Amino acid sequence: MTGRPRAFDRDEALDRAMRVFWRHGYEGTALSDLTAAMGINRPSLYAAYGNKEALFRQCLDRYHQGPARHVRESLAEPTARAVAERLLHGTVAVVTREEGPGCLLVHGALATGPGSEAVRAESAARRAAHRAALRARLERAADAGEFPPDTDPALLADHLTALTHGLAVQATEGFPAARLHRIAAHALRNWPH
């Protein structure tokens, strides 16, 4: 016997869970919030996704592949400046969406209590992996002669990362998209060339 088929769309329910975590963060989201938003009961949630932590990890994957795909896609831009432009302006577009505001990866698990260290560490590891990928991309740009000789690609990657995280925080404080785009444009005016 194979059991009863699922009576819900797994991907749609995952999108709904992602939006709940995005709005309330990991700690601020109760299982009852998730089941209500997803339209399923707890046994179905556990059967389909595992526990809350496993569901959050799947939501991070979904976020990276969906709303925040600009982060990954920016690395394929032909120049380092184009990488920075797509990263910054794409970040503004994501962090000012109705689902947020803010960034699931930045604020979703920063403030967690005892018992949630693994979730906080997972989010930090994902942020570090992006910073490393950005650094590698900027190092390739430096090797190709895109920057003045005294440019530090690692420092530039840290700067862009801090700026994207700051844009996310400012979005949670209610900064409108137009103002955040102006901040991104200001940062790009100081781009090394």
Side-chain angles (χ1 to χ4, degrees):
M1 186 170 216
T2 60
R4 207 169 96 209
R6 288 192 181 119
F8 65 93
D9 182 316
R10 190 178 190 286
D11 289 334
E12 183 180 322
L14 187 59
D15 283 339
R16 290 178 181 173
M18 178 187 67
R19 288 191 294 270
V20 173
F21 281 128
W22 194 347
R23 256 189 317 276
H24 304 291
Y26 182 80
E27 286 284 310
T29 300
L31 280 175
S32 58
D33 299 326
L34 293 166
T35 56
M38 297 167 79
I40 60 176
N41 59 30
R42 282 185 188 213
S44 294
L45 185 147
Y46 290 127
Y49 307 98
N51 61 15
K52 180 181 173 184
E53 181 180 322
L55 177 59
F56 184 72
R57 289 173 194 262
Q58 291 172 61
C59 288
L60 289 176
D61 290 339
R62 188 76 161 194
Y63 181 74
H64 183 68
Q65 296 301 317
R69 69 184 167 275
H70 73 281
V71 173
R72 180 184 74 259
E73 292 170 351
S74 70
L75 300 175
E77 290 292 334
T79 66
R81 181 177 173 90
V83 168
E85 288 173 355
R86 184 152 184 194
L87 180 61
L88 294 175
H89 291 292
T91 295
V92 172
V94 171
V95 302
T96 56
R97 286 175 57 148
E98 191 175 308
E99 289 92 337
C103 172
L104 175 60
L105 195 55
V106 171
H107 79 270
L110 281 179
T112 56
S116 299
E117 294 88 359
V119 170
R120 186 173 52 249
E122 172 76 17
S123 293
R126 289 174 186 240
R127 289 189 304 271
H130 173 259
R131 190 170 47 252
L134 181 58
R135 176 183 179 168
R137 174 63 182 88
L138 296 179
E139 286 172 346
R140 287 193 308 275
D143 291 344
E146 288 188 46
F147 300 125
D150 62 341
T151 302
D152 182 344
L155 182 59
L156 192 54
D158 288 344
H159 173 75
L160 283 171
T161 301
L163 188 54
T164 59
H165 295 173
L167 291 169
V169 170
Q170 289 179 317
T172 64
E173 294 175 356
F175 280 45
R179 185 171 178 189
L180 297 176
H181 279 298
R182 285 195 307 272
I183 293 169
H186 178 75
L188 290 166
R189 279 195 293 276
N190 297 311
W191 188 255
H193 54 278

